[in-house]
Structures are given as C-alpha cells and as structure tokens.
Amino acid sequence: MKRINRSAKIRNFHQAKWDEPIIFELSKKGERGILVPQAEESIVKAVGDGISNIPNQMRRKESPNLPEISQARVLRHYMRLSQETLGADVNIEIGQGTCTVKYSPKVNEMLARLPEMTELHPLQDEGTVQGILEIMYQTDRFMCEISGMNRFSFQSGGGSQAVMTMASIVRAYHDEREEAQQRDEVITTIYSHPSDAAAPAVMGYKIIYIHPDENGFPDFEAFKAAVSKRTAAFIVANPEDTGVYNPRVKEFTDLVHSVGGLCGYDQANANGLFGVTRAKEAGFDMCFFNLHKSFSTPHGCGGPAVGAVGVVTELEKYLPGPLVDYDNEKYFMNYENSNTPYNIGKVRIFNGVAPVVLKAYAWIMSMGAEGLYEVAKIAVLNNNYLFKKLMEIECIDAPYIRGKQRIEQARYTLEKLTEDTGITSGDVQRRMMDFGMHYWTSHHPYYIPEPMTLEPTETPSKEDLDEYVAAIKQIVKEAYESPEIIKTAPHRSVCHKLDETSLDEPSEWAISWRSYLKKTDPID
Amino acid sequence: MKRINRSAKIRNFHQAKWDEPIIFELSKKGERGILVPQAEESIVKAVGDGISNIPNQMRRKESPNLPEISQARVLRHYMRLSQETLGADVNIEIGQGTCTVKYSPKVNEMLARLPEMTELHPLQDEGTVQGILEIMYQTDRFMCEISGMNRFSFQSGGGSQAVMTMASIVRAYHDEREEAQQRDEVITTIYSHPSDAAAPAVMGYKIIYIHPDENGFPDFEAFKAAVSKRTAAFIVANPEDTGVYNPRVKEFTDLVHSVGGLCGYDQANANGLFGVTRAKEAGFDMCFFNLHKSFSTPHGCGGPAVGAVGVVTELEKYLPGPLVDYDNEKYFMNYENSNTPYNIGKVRIFNGVAPVVLKAYAWIMSMGAEGLYEVAKIAVLNNNYLFKKLMEIECIDAPYIRGKQRIEQARYTLEKLTEDTGITSGDVQRRMMDFGMHYWTSHHPYYIPEPMTLEPTETPSKEDLDEYVAAIKQIVKEAYESPEIIKTAPHRSVCHKLDETSLDEPSEWAISWRSYLKKTDPID
Amino acid sequence: MTIKGFKNHPYIPNSVPEVQKEMLEEIGLNSLEDLHEAIPDFLKLKNNMNLPKAIGSEYELRRHVEDILKKNKTCKDNLNFLGAGCWQHYVPAICDEINSRGEFLTAYGGESYNDFGRFQALFEYESLVGELVDMDVVNVPTMDWGQAAATSIRMASRITGRKEAVVPKAMDNEKFLIMKNYCSPDIQLIQVDYVKGTGQLDLVDLKNKVSEKTAAIYFENPSFLGFIEEDGQKISDLAHKYDAISIVGVDPISLGVLTPPSQYGADIICGDLQPLGIHMNYGGGQSGFVATRDEEKYVMEYPSRLFGIAPTSVEGEYGFGDVAFDRTSFGNLREQGKEYVGTQTALWGITAGVYLATMGPKGMEEIGQTIMQKSQYATERLNEIKSIKSPLFNSVNFKEFVVDFNETHKTVQEINKKLLEKGVFGGKDLSSDFPELGQCALYCVTEIHTKTDIDKLVAALEEVLKS
Amino acid sequence: MTIKGFKNHPYIPNSVPEVQKEMLEEIGLNSLEDLHEAIPDFLKLKNNMNLPKAIGSEYELRRHVEDILKKNKTCKDNLNFLGAGCWQHYVPAICDEINSRGEFLTAYGGESYNDFGRFQALFEYESLVGELVDMDVVNVPTMDWGQAAATSIRMASRITGRKEAVVPKAMDNEKFLIMKNYCSPDIQLIQVDYVKGTGQLDLVDLKNKVSEKTAAIYFENPSFLGFIEEDGQKISDLAHKYDAISIVGVDPISLGVLTPPSQYGADIICGDLQPLGIHMNYGGGQSGFVATRDEEKYVMEYPSRLFGIAPTSVEGEYGFGDVAFDRTSFGNLREQGKEYVGTQTALWGITAGVYLATMGPKGMEEIGQTIMQKSQYATERLNEIKSIKSPLFNSVNFKEFVVDFNETHKTVQEINKKLLEKGVFGGKDLSSDFPELGQCALYCVTEIHTKTDIDKLVAALEEVLKS
Ligand SMILES: Cc1ncc(COP(=O)(O)O)c(C=O)c1O
Ligand SMILES: Cc1ncc(COP(=O)(O)O)c(C=O)c1O
C-alpha cells in the first residue's frame, strides 16, 4: 500500500446536508411525541375534568395547529439540524470577529447541568441556595479584581443588555443630580459595537459618534469638541473591533469626568487584556464583561448569556438588585441598593442566568491569575500571527496604525480584491463555508470597505490559524482565476445562495410556516 | 415568493465530511488535553516521587508515543467523527437486517447516566445497591413472563456471548449426565445467526446445518435424519433472518427432547413476537433476548450490551451466577447456583452490563404488556408493508413461502438486477449511502444470491418506509439507465470506494497507525 | 513584574513555549511581553491579579464545584410550590438532549450558510409558538417576559406615537421594575387596580385611565396571581376604541386549554418560554417572546431578529435569512433602528421549539387539563384547612393561586420556614409586594405534582398550623 | 383474547389506527391480528402477559426509576476503596461527551461508507492502545479482561497446537472462572503458586508446570493483588524456551510508568479498558482488549474485528475496512473461522481512545505517578495502625495492595460493615477466595483519592478497630 497523500492544505469538506422538511411537514395526524402525566383518578373524582369551569370565552376551541410527530422523528429532525450548524465545538472559530468564540470546556457544561443547578427555583429560601450564592459572590470578587471595579451585577442577559444597564445607571446618576434633562448625549465611537449606541438611544440619549484619526485612534480633537455639559456618558470599547488600542484612553475619561459625565467601558471582548490592564486604571466608572465571550461560556446560538456589569463604589447603589453578600456565616441576597430611591430597578427577572455565572466561575478557577494572563498573551499572539499572515496576501489590507500590535481582533479590507476581481467580502464569506469556516464581514455600516473581521482568541492552535489562512489564500487565488466558483458559492453547505428578495418585501416575507403557506400558492 | 417545490421523493443528502486527519497527525509536542491531579505536597514529602522504587526493568523508559493535543482539538476531532457516523438517532434504520435497530428513548439513556448508576462499584455491599438489584430482579421477572422461561441471567454481554452461554449450559448439562463425550453435535440452520454455529463450535461442538425446504422452513426430514444420540442441542432462530416462521417448531423441539438433547432459542430479534408466542410453548429449554435489540437499548457501535439468557427450572443451576433474589425485605446476590458442581462459572465479570438492564427495564415499564404486543404488531406490519412495496419492484424477489406474512425482517435477492445490469447488491449498498441510508446484504455465505436483508422494527413511520423504498427504486432505475453512478458510489459519503486489496494482504494491512507508518514509505 | 508563564494549558494550545517562539519570530517579536506594547506602561498592571490559585486538574475542579453545589437544596429533592414567574414543569429528555448538542450549544452568529440548522430551528420555533398563540409573526426570543413586555410597549408607543401605557397593579413587581426602567424616560406606566373579590382587572378604573394618550393596555392571562382574566375581549375593545394597542402577556403552557389572546383582541402577545421544556436554573431559564400579526406596521417595529424562509438558487431547497434586517440596530441605521438587539436567549427558543414539536396539540391540551385539575385539587384541599382560604380570589385559576393565611395569625414567612423543615418549599410570600392582602402566598401546582405530593403539602401545613 | 390496542405510543409512529388501516389495506389484510397468521394457534398466547401496567408518561417513568435508583449509595457520595477488577478513576468530561453523542451511541453494524466516523474512531483506538502497550495490532474491544485473556489463550493454543495453559493461582477468581469456561472443554488451565512473602509468581513451581505441552504462560502485571510482577522477562523467557507463548494481562492505566509487557517478552497482551475514561457502572464498564505484534500467525488467530486503514478511489482520502474479515465467524467460514464475534463493547473502545488522546504521554505518566504516590501513602499510613500490616506482601505495589487484618481479631466483613456506617467502602474481602491469607482485604487507591480521603480512611479504621 502506498502512503496516502495528505499534503493538501485545504480541507475537502462538506457540511452535513439532510434536506430536512420544515417540522410541520413531518406531522401525521394521531402521532404523539410524548405522553403527559394525567391527573390521578381520585383527583378527577374530586374536581372533574378541570376545564369545564373555564369561562367559555376563555376556553380554547380549536387545538393549536402544532405538528403531530413521534418522538424518534422529532429527535432525528433536531439531531440533523444540529449537524447542519457550525458550532464552535466542531469548527475552527476565527471568523466571527468581535464575538470571542473560544473553547467552552465540557466539564463546566456538565457542572452547570447538575440538578443542584438546574432544579433551583429563584425564590427559594436563601438557606437552600448557599452553593449558588457562594459562586455568584466569588465570581463578583473575581470580576472586581480583573477590572478594578468595586461591585458586579450578573443580571444583564448579554452584552447589549449590559450596555443598556450602564445607560440606565447613567440616567439614574444624572437624575439624582437633577441633570438628566441637560445631559442628553452619549458619546461613542464608530467602531464600538452597535449596541453601545443603540442601547443608550433606547434610554433616550442622543448618540455622538467619534471617528478615528489616521492611526485608528478615536480622534481626540473631535472628542474634545464633542464633550460638554450635555455629555451624560462616554461608552466605548478599547480596543474597538479594529484591534487598535487607544493609548490615550485615560485622557478621554479624564475629560469626560471634568465635565461631570460618566465613562462606561465595553469589555465584551476583554480576553486580550486579562491581567494586562484594567478598566479602573483607564479611568472608567463602569464596565461589563461578556461571560459568554471572554469567560468561555458557550454562546448557545445567541444566549442565554450574561453581561456582567461592574461599577465603582459611587455607582453601586444604582446597580439592579439584589446583590449577593456574605456576612461571614452565610451568603445572602442584599436588597439594600434595590431600595435606594434612584436605583434603576431590574433589567432581568430574578438573579440573571446563574448557570452561566457558574461556568465562568469554573473557568476562572481552572485558570487563575497566571492562566488569565496567558489567555491575554496568546489571544494577542494568535491575532497578530494571523494578521501577519493575512497581510502577506497582496489584496488584503487593514487600515490604520502599523508597527504596534493589534489586540485580540482586527478588521481588514478586501477593497483591492473587489477592485481587481469584482469579488466582494460577502462573496468570500459564502465561499469560506465550502471549507467549513465562519467568516464575518463587519457590523454595519461598512466604514471600512469590503470588511473582514476576524478574532482568533487563545483557542486555535497555530495549525488552525494556518488552515484558516490557507483557505483565504485559496479563495483569493480563485478570485483571480475562476471567480464564478465564488460568486455561486456555497457549494458544499446545506443550502446554496439565498434569494433574498422576499426578505425585505412585506407582501412576501414569511416569518412563520403559517405565514409562508398563506403567502405562497400550493404546488399542484 | 413562490412556494418551494418539495415534491422530490429522494433526499438531497450529503453526509458530514470533515476530512479529518488521523488523531496522531494532530499531535503537537507540548500540548496537553487535560491536567491530572498531582499528589499533595505532604504526600510527596511522605513518600517521595513514588516511582523510584519501581524495579528498574519494570519502569517504563520511553513515554508511550501518544499524541499531544489540546482539549478543544480532541473534542473537535471526535465531534466531527461522530457526525460522520450514521447512528440510529439521525437515520431511518431499516437497512440493518437482523440487527433490530429501534428507537432508544433519551429518557432511558439519561436515567442510565445518573451517578446512582454509573458510580456503583460491582463489589459494593448489597445494602448499598438495593436500587439496581431491584431493577435486575424485576427485569428478570419481566423476561420470564415474556418468554415463559423460569430464570434469567444478564451476564452475557451480547447475543453471541449469550449463545456461548447456552452452549456452555448444554455442555454442563450433558457433563452432569456423563454424556458429554457422546453428545458432540449441535444442530442449527443456515439462516440462523453465524454465532449460533460459531459459539457452540468454540465449546467443542460439531455443527450440523439444516437447510430450508422450498417454503423456507428448516427441512423436517433432514432434521429427523440429523437428530441422534450425538445431538447435544438444537440452537435456532425462529424466524430466521428470512422472516419465515417455522410453524412446526414444536415438532423440532419434541424430537430433540426425545433423544435427550436440549433446545436453545435464539431470540435476539424477538420484537415481532412479543405477547404473541413464547419460547416455552414452542418447547425450548433456553432462550436469549438481546436487550440492545428488541428491548431498545442503544447499540453503541457494537456494545456494551446484554444478551439475557433464560432457562427452564431444570437448567437454572447451570446459569452463571450470582443471580439476584429477593427475600421479601431486601434484594440480594444469590450465589447458590454458582456453587453447584456443574455450574458453568462465569461468562462476564461481575454482574453484566447493569445500565443496559436498567434501560431495558425503563423501556418495558413504558410499554407494559399492551405496548409490547403493539410493538410486535407494528414491527410485523412495517416489515410486511415494506415487503409488499419492494416486491412490486420487478427485479427484487424474496425466496420462499408466499401468502403468509414474514415476521419482523426478510432476506431478499437482487439476482435479477445483477443479471440484467451487472449491478450487485454490494453496489446497491454503496449507492444507498448517497441517500443517507443503511443497507445490508446478509451474513456469509450468501446462500441467497445478491442478498439484501432489511428489518424495519416498529420505529419507522410509513413515510420512512416509503422513503426507503423510493431510494431503492431510484437505484434500480439508475442500474438500468446509468449504472456507472452506482458502480462508482458512494458520492455523497465521507469517503469513496475503498481499495480493499491491502486488507487481506499481511504485508500491507495496517491495523494501527504505527503499523501503517512502518509499512508505507513517506511522501516527499 | 513577577508573572510566571503558564505552560501547556489544555485550553490554550499555543501555551507551548516552542510554538510561541516560532510564532513570535514570524511576527518579528522577541517575547510575549512585547505583544502588549500598544498599551502604555502606566496603564499596565504591575502585579499578578489577586485570584485563587488555579485548580490543578479537571478532577479537582469538578470536585471543588460539586462540593459547593451540594450546599444547594433542589426542587427535585424537596417538594416545591413556588412559581411566580418561574415554574417547575417537566422537561422532556429530548429537550435537554438537543440543547446540549455541542453544535447548538456553541454556535453563535454565523450566516445561514454555516448555521443553517440554527436558522431552521429558530424559524420553526417562531412558527410553533405562532400556532400556539395563533399569530403569524414571532421573534427570535428576547431576554424574558419582562423584557418582552417592555419591548411590546415600546413597539406600541412607536406605532401609536403615544407615551402612556396602562398596566395592571396586580402584576409581578420585578417584572414591573424591568418594564419601568426599560420604558424610561419617555413612556409612563399607569397602574390599574383589580377588583377586590375576584382579582380581575378593574374595568372602571381602567376606563378612567385609558385615553387618547394611551399607547397600549397591557394585561396578563393568566394573571400574575394565577387566575384567568375573563374580560380579555372587553379590555382589548377598550384599547381599540382609543386606537391604542392591546398587549397580552401569557403563560404559553396554558394555551392548550385557554383561548389565545389573539382571539380576544390582542395585537401583541408576549410571555415567557421557560415553561416549555426549560429547567428553572435559578431563574436562568427565562426567555421572552413577542408575537404579532403579519402587518408591516408591527413587523417593522420589532427590535429582534426575525428569521424568514426563502428560496435559494437551487430548486426545491429551503433557505433562511433575516427579515427586514435594517430595522434592527445591527442594520445600517444602528441606533436609528428599533431599540437594540444582541445576544438574547436563542438556545431556549430552540428548546421551546423542540418542546412544542414533541408535545403536539394533544400534549398541550392534556398538560393544560392536568394542571387545571391538579391545581384545583390543591386549592380545594388547602381550603379544607380551617384557617386557610384558598383561593383568596373568586376566579378560575390556572396553575397558580393565592392562599390566604391571615386567619392563621402566622406570617407566611414563619409558615414557609416551618414547611422548609419538612422539605416543602411553600408558595411565594406576597406580603411585601401586596401589603393590602396581608399574609397571603402564591402557590403553584403543575403536572409534576402528584396527588401524594399535594396531600403531603396539606398534611405539612396542617401540622405547621397546629404547632 | 382481550388484548386491547395501544394507540399512539410516542415510540411507535404507526400505532395510529388510521395509518395501520392504510398499511393493512396495502398488504391486503383486514386486521392486525392477521399479521401473525404464520404462527399456529396453539403456540399463541391466549392472554395478556402479566406485566406491570405501562407507566403513563415520561415524567412518571423518570420519577419511578429515579426513586428506585435513589436506594443506591454511590462511590461519589461515599469514600470507596474497592478495586479488584473495576476501578474508580476520574472520567474526563470529554469522554462522556463523546460517548453520549447520539451518532456513536446508536450506530451499529454499518459499512465504513455509512459509519466512517465509527471506523476511524475504532482504528484510532487500536492505534492508541497500540502505543500504550507498544504493539502493532490491537483488536476492536471484546467483553472484558477475562474474555480477552481467555481468547488470548485460545489464540495461543491454536498457534502452538497445544492444550495447556499456565496461569497464576493468585488471580481474580471470577476471571479465572470465565477463562475456565471459555477454554473448556479442550484447554486445561494449570495454576502456579506464588511466593509467600512477596506474592510474586513462584518460578520454581512455574518451571515444574511448564513443558512441551504448554501453549502459553499467562500472568498479570500489576498482579491481581496489586504488586508489580518483577520477573516478567524471566517468565517470558521460560515460555519461549518451550516454544510457548507469553501472555500478559495488564492494567493499561499503569503503562505511563510501568514497562509495557511487549518489552519483557510478551507475545500477546490483554487487559481491561475500564480505567481509561469509563465509569464503573456496577461492573458494566469493563471492556477487554488484545494486542500482538503484526505477524500473520498472530493476526490470523484473532476472533475479533480488526479495523485497518486503506486508500480509496480518491487520492488523499483515508478509508477503513475489516482486515482479514474471513478469519472471523462473520466471514464465509462461519464456525470454521476463529472462535466467534458479535456485539462486544465498541463504545468503550471509542471512549478509551478519547481518553488516551486527551491524556497524551504526559497525562499517562503523571497519572501513573500520582497513583503510585497516593497508594504508597495509603499503604504507609495504614501500616501505622498497630494491628494492621500493609502491605501484606513485600513487593512494590501499583494502585492496589493487600491489607492484613489478621492481628485485629476481627473479620474483614465486620470491619467493612463498620466502615460502611462511616460512609467508607472498605477493600475487597479476600478471605473466601484466598483462605490461606486469613483476614485480608484488597484496597485500591487511585488519583481520585485526596490526602484527606486517605486520612479519613485511616481515622475510620482506627475507630473501628478500637471499638
Ligand atoms: C464589543 C462588543 N460589545 C457588545 C457586544 C454585545 O454583546 P451581546 O452579543 O452579548 O449582546 C458585543 C458582542 O458581539 C461586542 O463584541
Ligand atoms: C438472530 C441473531 N442472533 C444472534 C445475534 C448476535 O447478537 P450480538 O450481536 O449481540 O452478539 C444477532 C445479532 O445480530 C442476531 O440477529
């Protein structure tokens, strides 16, 4: 036998493609997926059918038109859909910039799925939930050490809600000072996450954008011009998704403080900075961490998650409560700040997503201070190695400062590729799927033309990075030699190029199966 | 938007194809997959490094050449391999005749993975394992009721080992009667499972095969001629994998008894007969059930499993012990029969695969007598519906009796297809994969030419059966119109047609990675 | 600076020093320390962070965390009657099986080309909840019921251009606080009283508070206090009379037996998915949904992602994508889009889809009926205890009900403490959120409670009250 | 006949009567009863089987089974020192994650075209164990160590054409019974004594029992009683001197620190995979392996499936298939093939592969060392107890060791009963299998035991012995 030649750099990939019907199409009248407990005969004897006494107008007349499917078929359907989903467990996660998709250790997941976690009611007596309270308390302590803040709340169910929570605190703070009317502006930057603008806007703030200077730093002159007595807060990521760290950040926060505004730090993607620098030293009054990003808890297709919001002592009383405290004997729910007059109230029901906090706790405990620092180092190493390799490809560029390292991610531009070949970043995105890879353009609007935003984190190995680069190289080559294959991509995915015309057309869009059936004519 | 046309009957399938390296190729010196607990410092202080006192010749000098891989990459590798495996959870399981692959309910799996099951040591004090003993005891009772036998042992780790256990009992029985020398023949049929011949052969028996008559029943005249004082036992499946039930089975067992032999019933695939007919009434002295088949516990790529062996009272003392008993207060291990002089000893260490017994118990409890009877009815209904549909295809035939229903499976022949087109059953097997389907030819030798053996069980719906038939039809059509596509199949699987030449060639075969590396020259 | 390197961590492949060296060379640096040169020295931490030493192995980590978790006492090992926004229902094994599939668990923001299964599963979830509530549009889930209700009100406010919303006084205070914060500073929430004897929304008070300024009337069915709000149609009619929007919050597990709000005039329906196959998770299982008719004016006001079905370039192939993506804050308009979007609770949406597909119409009907029967049985049995009135309100209940302990001359707190000693988690103490009710508690009985469980509660209460 | 139909069972889609009717029509039958007409009436059951009524719902089933299982006391909640063929090691989360993946869990006998991943995972498992034992051929796993040892002897017997095998007297009696049954009736097992003071195989007795009739010498390292058999090479040499085969049974978790038997003359190596990432499962986690050199005379004697790697029709693609399939009883020769094959323990093989790939060389070294250190610590601490001798034998131990209680004047049974009351599962009582040792017990200490655990054992024993 000859040795099998495995020198190809590009993976010969095809995604699982099951061609599954929509779940309603699997329905067969009479089939059941599960049997439900019935009331015992003695109960029936005592209370009857239980439903006759429902007021007539409130008694459902026709059963909901749910599908009727046997259990094995339901399972098969969703198992197949899961195979058709490129989760981080099966994928080299580099191509979802500003998402910090890292390895979520299975041991943490298993811990979070123990009944001692899943079978807790949020209103249980404190004495019965000492375990989870301890974990929340300790994780609060850890977060404080990592950020320099003084107190954390785990109520926000994600980073965007964390921004909203920060914006609420800003409002409450100025309310208390009776400056809420006057201070109606929140300043952010164009490369900060859209939620840094959108969430404060919900809270009634006007958004002022600072654009970058030629180095990619938020333009300090423009910033100076923007800051005023109308400034309620400055909310910003640093680095933004360009990966460029603003070294003058302290001047920014100082300036805001000088006019009476607050500073909120978007640290969703903090893993490039663990143990290196902190929100406190940079002068922020608040920050948040995405536990589902930097702290490795899985994204779950987009939540459940936690945006842990930390504040300096002065702002603690605005944090949504209760907070977990410890009286040297037992952990307890502290409602103190919930009762302060300007407290923001609640942002999420009960105590946030405790299993996510648990997973983050376990992850931190498996890292320690040294491990977190190593995470930061390697996340940055990986990013800059990737950056170097990609920048060697002629038609790829990344605007802004050279020489200094980017932190944990970078936004590139394929403008030259598009000019040369007509292949857009969106085309490349689809083609990357043929090699089993995620690829992200950027948030909108595309300030950088034909953007590509990548964030490797500390999870991939050098080989993984090399494989990613090889795939990009292959596509670039194709773009110049056989662009059609890219334009018609993907070819090895579950589906081919989407016909998007209906999605923005009210008479055509179909957001549910029943709507689709109503809006399309049966085929005969 | 126009309605999307989903009228195609054949699934547009592609299996997940990850093109994964062999695990050793993922190795990178220095990477670790997991950290291992170290002895505490105080232990080290007390005992030192723990290994210096290993006698020099017994101290390993070079570490094992295992790969060094970070955890996420190990996980990714196996996740991908799992997607490349067509388990019953994702597949319409019809094409593995005589394997009885049915739905394994997830609830049962979850029960079997509770620490109250997984974290039991087999030598724990009886008082600490009352739960699992209760389950084993009750399942024994259920099996007795289902078969008419008197006592079951769960020690055998599969059906083949169950046959071996039956053969051991046969030997012990005749040993005790001092007829072991004289009785050196075991009779079976050509369509019984190979293990029905092979396992008794290990126990020293000569195997006598009975061939079928023109109806597919074991030839009674030939049987009469074979039975003699040399007959130790008759071990047979009924129906065999042809699905033909031998209605004269009682005459067979009577005849064997009349010469002093024993009768063992291979009930691996019993689900077509639950509540319909039993081993006892058919005159068998022993039988076995494959819990991993008829009782729905998952196959696990081929075990762990249980072949539950049941016997009539007279044979109980030969069963491998201990057995679980109940003294109206507590369950206990009964070693009585282990101590009888002719007991066969053990066939598997400890108490068999208890989690499999647990899953079978849960399945039976979710069925009850009526449910089991329904299983039998629907397994037979499904099989005969499939049979009808397939027999409508011109080039498909199934030898033997017409008119009567087959039980839960059938062996077909594609002889005519091969004659007409050159496409063999093996070719069809590969092509079926392109539609995401298992397909099995038959055990060897191919007594029926170009065989195809299918067993639907009660799990698939009518739609599933129809889809399977549609795929077969498509292939038959292709065989006549474009056979090349079949000959070169599969096209939509992880791999293409295997070059099998090395597999039977000692100088070339490679049963491990190191062997492969030794036997092939590096590519430069 | 004394930070020691951390070599060969299982979660960090490139923590191998040799690899680091190779990579550093490639990018032209000498040491890992150089990587952060973009950060000015004065901002750099000078010492190791003060965190517990890393636990040395997975085994020890597991034992450590399990030892902490063992301090919890669960609703599995005890008998729980707490509800009030988080409910103990049976979670079918298949729900956990699917949401623990690594692919779903760890997917995130890919396109439908990569994450086709995620898109299909969420489209199906939308469609399944759509059938349950009898509406054509359902969002990819938001945080929780509170958030869903708050967003519903913001949607209504934008649609009507008005800045007042009427809400029931008898609602969950926590939820109210979420809504209040989220509707600040521009939208005012006005509370409507309930009828003393029945708990039903006080229609007289309501009429007084609804006006041309009203963007929406928000009410719940079943109400927070567990009874069925009977005048749904009348309330909706009143809203419509003033061109306001009728928003109904609903517990979806009731909809096998209760009329979906769309059939009594609701324009927007919201609620929580947690009852549909999601563990309580100490409150981490909550997940909000919003549903409306398929009208542009509604659809264009959702802040959430809405996955739609569409054809692809290949005949017979389903495709999925974002409907009206630019509507969201992820679109080109950013904060000019509708509210904001981001990570929410998608995995619970998929799970709720699995649940509904598994339950089917029959399962949903039966579970509704079982819950009605069991909770009625509990209500009646409790009412047999002399000093207890159960239910307090003279209305028909679904799953939850108020138990009046005033006559016992004990506080709910005392009673619950005693019950706890017997392994029973008593109902939520209403005395601080509803001081007008005195010592009352909100009990929750679902399909998981057997007759024995309920009888055990009754016996335990009898004992507690005797002592 | 009063068997009532069972409609719409979730596990049986076609239990829907309308579908049945349609299908029956298609095959030309009138009723389900007709389906079994092939079975003569006198063989048919006339009544429903006498089984418990089906449990009505998944929830009740779960509660029912969990209630039963709660009667078990686990090694997680107690402190376990039982080993003796089934050992409590740490199971990395990744092992459970992979073996609970539905695809692996429910696959069975497909071809490599369908089950490519299964073939690759098992090929890799073979390769990984091959490295551990330093051999080129490893089988797809068989039942357990006992079966692996029995098959090894049968292989040796076929290769040599001889009918005697020498085995140690100091071995697990259960395993011996398996081997004895499986080797019957043709192969005789001859037991060799051990040296009193050290437990080592008695080479004098061995020499007396080995002859030209000997097919194989089988011995174990570490031995059943936990010590390292030091004369492996001498024993192998003796076997080879008589052209017999040296078979060594081994605990694979020792092979990070102990010499693999191939390096002291073993021709066949066998053992149990359970320590490699598989839960004890009340003994259900056992899984046997056999390994040899890649020589035709050995390979052709395996009864098991052997997965090999091979090219496919596409360049650069790996393929997998059965090596020398016709060798097995699944081949054309059926019972003329080697022994028999069938369902064995493949999932545990895959799991052991995951374990070894995760542990790597360093992990295996470290775990070996940790076990040595902790078990030595336990031995020494126990020996400090006055009336106890630990270890009984003067040899170096790995993981297990014999503790001598004779001086305590209590039986092991009594002691273990008392320990149990303190939540400690004492070592296996050896008094019936090894009567010559009097009151001795086999203790097992692994990486899962902390110093505190061991100290707790010592303290508990001290108390027990005092009373
Ligand atoms: C910098 C930044 N801020 C905020 C967010 C929003 O976080 P979430 O997705 O959890 O809502 C993200 C997530 O992509 C982010 O990268
Ligand atoms: C009829 C019959 N007998 C015996 C066996 C052997 O069972 P196992 O695979 O569990 O060894 C099988 C399995 O295919 C079978 O179908």
Side-chain angles (χ1 to χ4, degrees), chain D residues 91 95-96 98-99 276-278 346-356:
Chain D
V91 175
C95 291
D96 283 333
I98 295 302
N99 70 29
L276 307 180
I278 302 157
L347 194 63
W348 298 152
I350 292 174
T351 306
V354 176
Y355 183 86
L356 291 174

Side-chain angles (χ1 to χ4, degrees), chain A residues 63 119 209 272 518-519, chain C residues 36 134 136 279 294 335 365:
Chain A
S63 328
E119 302 308 313
Y209 283 108
K518 284 180 194 169
K519 288 179 168 180
Chain C
H36 282 102
D134 199 12
D136 283 351
H279 294 277
D294 184 2
E335 80 278 10
E365 271 175 37

